[in-house]
């Protein structure tokens, strides 16, 4: 398995410096939030894409994928009632899939809670149907690009649309694309699921629907900076034979992003060494 850092944690650094920093800490890669690359990351020119990929390679790491996809440009919606907005959103999704491939990544994580929540009074089934259609388009683009597009279950305090792995799995079954799967975020799962995160991993990984894992404490800090026990989580990951990327995605950086990144990887590497 590879350990990546979600790059917004250290976005105050230039990208090449981010790469050098995480390599020195012992990460294998960066999972990039497109909004850290500019207001229109889906339109990055080829030269800039090459520069980003080269910076990672020069540091001895990789861009493992993209996450937090729809922050920029503003005003996007996966499943809203405005057809023009959805058309624009799907175009951005398809272009981000191309960006992920160009940067050398293999997985995109569709969280973006505000851009998928169903407004009060809207028809929930209609919103679901619109999401399925958008994700079918994403699946076609992902299959052509050779990457995987993951719908991320999120905590209920973040969104009212897709909160559990079971809900995500049911929706991606409707999408019907082998390139559209789901994933586990340990903080969100720790808040939304009825079973423990290790049990969730052991239940869902064998189905083939889990393509990615993000780790963070339910207090939204990094692994090892809260009350969650991560040794059982990593033991479950090891037991099921997961060999993909594990991305560190804290939202609260204490005392700062650099220290959070360093604390997280040290904690994780210690667990991995202990469990063998």
């Amino acid at each position: 398995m590879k350990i990546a850092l979600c790059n917004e944690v250290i976005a105050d650094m230039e990208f090449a410096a981010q790469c050098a920093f995480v390599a020195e800490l012992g990460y294998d890669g960066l999972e990039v939030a497109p909004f850290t690359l500019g207001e229109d990351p889906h339109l990055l020119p080829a030269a800039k894409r090459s520069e980003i990929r080269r910076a990672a390679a020069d540091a001895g790491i990789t861009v493992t994928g993209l996450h937090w996809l729809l922050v920029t440009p503003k005003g996007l919606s996966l499943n809203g009632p405005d057809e023009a907005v959805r058309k624009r959103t799907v175009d951005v999704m398809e272009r981000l899939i191309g960006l992920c491939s160009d940067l050398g990544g293999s997985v995109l994580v569709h969280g973006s809670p505000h851009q998928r929540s169903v407004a009060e009074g809207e028809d929930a089934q209609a919103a679901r149907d619109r999401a399925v259609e958008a994700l079918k388009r994403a699946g076609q683009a992902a299959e052509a690009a050779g990457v995987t597009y993951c719908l991320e279950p999120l905590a209920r305090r973040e969104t009212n649309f897709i909160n559990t792995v079971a809900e995500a799995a049911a929706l991606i079954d409707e999408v019907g694309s082998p390139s559209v799967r789901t994933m586990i975020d340990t903080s969100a799962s720790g808040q939304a699921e009825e079973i423990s995160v290790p049990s969730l991993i052991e239940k869902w990984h064998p189905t083939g629907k889990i393509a990615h894992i993000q780790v963070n404490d339910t207090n939204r800090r990094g692994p090892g900076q809260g009350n969650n026990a991560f040794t059982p989580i990593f033991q479950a990951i090891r037991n099921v034979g997961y060999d993909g990327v594990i991305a560190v995605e804290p939202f609260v950086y204490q005392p700062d992003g650099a220290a959070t990144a360093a604390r997280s990887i040290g904690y994780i590497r210690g667990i991995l060494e202990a469990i063998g």
Side-chain angles (χ1 to χ4, degrees):
M1 67 183 77
K2 291 184 177 181
I3 311 298
L5 177 70
C6 292
N7 84 310
E8 71 274 7
V9 177
I10 51 171
D12 55 334
M13 304 179 187
E14 294 293 331
F15 189 79
Q18 294 177 30
C19 294
F21 180 71
V22 300
E24 185 176 355
L25 290 180
Y27 286 94
D28 301 300
L30 281 172
E31 184 171 292
V32 174
F35 70 84
T36 66
L37 304 178
E39 288 298 314
D40 294 297
H42 60 299
L43 300 179
L44 280 182
K48 183 63 175 179
R49 298 178 187 217
S50 296
E51 177 187 326
I52 292 169
R53 185 164 181 165
R54 186 167 55 251
D58 287 348
I61 65 165
T62 61
V63 173
T64 60
L66 306 180
H67 71 286
W68 218 348
L69 303 179
L70 301 184
V71 175
T72 54
K74 304 297 184 183
L76 302 178
S77 175
L78 174 72
N79 53 359
D82 188 309
E83 184 176 358
V85 169
R86 290 199 316 278
K87 183 177 179 180
R88 180 171 177 245
T89 302
V90 169
D91 178 67
V92 170
M93 290 163 62
E94 291 173 333
R95 290 175 183 271
L96 289 177
I97 287 166
L99 175 64
C100 181
S101 178
D102 288 346
L103 298 183
S106 61
V107 62
L108 297 93
V109 178
H110 189 122
S112 301
H114 300 301
Q115 294 80 15
R116 74 191 215 199
S117 292
V118 181
E120 186 176 354
E122 283 188 20
D123 185 323
Q125 183 59 52
R128 180 186 181 87
D129 292 343
R130 292 191 290 261
V132 168
E133 289 306 309
L135 289 169
K136 284 182 177 180
R137 292 278 302 276
Q140 293 169 356
E143 188 170 355
V147 301
T148 301
Y149 198 95
C150 291
L151 178 62
E152 180 181 12
L154 291 172
R156 290 177 178 84
R157 69 180 183 183
E158 297 181 78
T159 183
N160 60 2
F161 186 74
I162 307 299
N163 303 116
T164 67
V165 172
E167 291 170 357
L171 191 141
I172 64 174
D173 281 345
E174 289 185 48
V175 174
S177 168
S179 296
V180 177
R181 298 164 70 186
T182 187
M183 51 82 67
I184 291 173
D185 176 284
T186 61
S187 178
S189 296
Q191 298 172 64
E193 302 283 352
E194 295 182 354
I195 61 177
S196 69
V197 174
S199 296
L200 191 73
I201 292 167
E202 291 168 350
K203 175 180 179 178
W204 284 100
H205 183 269
T207 68
K209 298 181 189 297
I210 303 299
H212 191 57
I213 295 174
Q214 290 175 336
V215 289
N216 39 33
D217 197 279
T218 51
N219 68 5
R220 297 172 68 80
R221 295 178 67 182
Q225 292 188 304
N227 295 323
N228 296 167
F230 277 86
T231 296
I233 291 173
F234 279 94
Q235 187 65 66
I237 291 170
R238 182 67 57 81
N239 289 347
V240 299
Y242 175 82
D243 60 357
V245 175
I246 298 174
V248 175
E249 192 193 24
F251 293 93
V252 177
Y253 316 142
Q254 294 180 353
D256 54 35
T260 297
R263 176 71 176 87
S264 296
I265 190 62
Y267 177 77
I268 291 169
R269 292 296 184 194
I271 290 175
L272 294 177
E273 183 177 347
I275 66 178

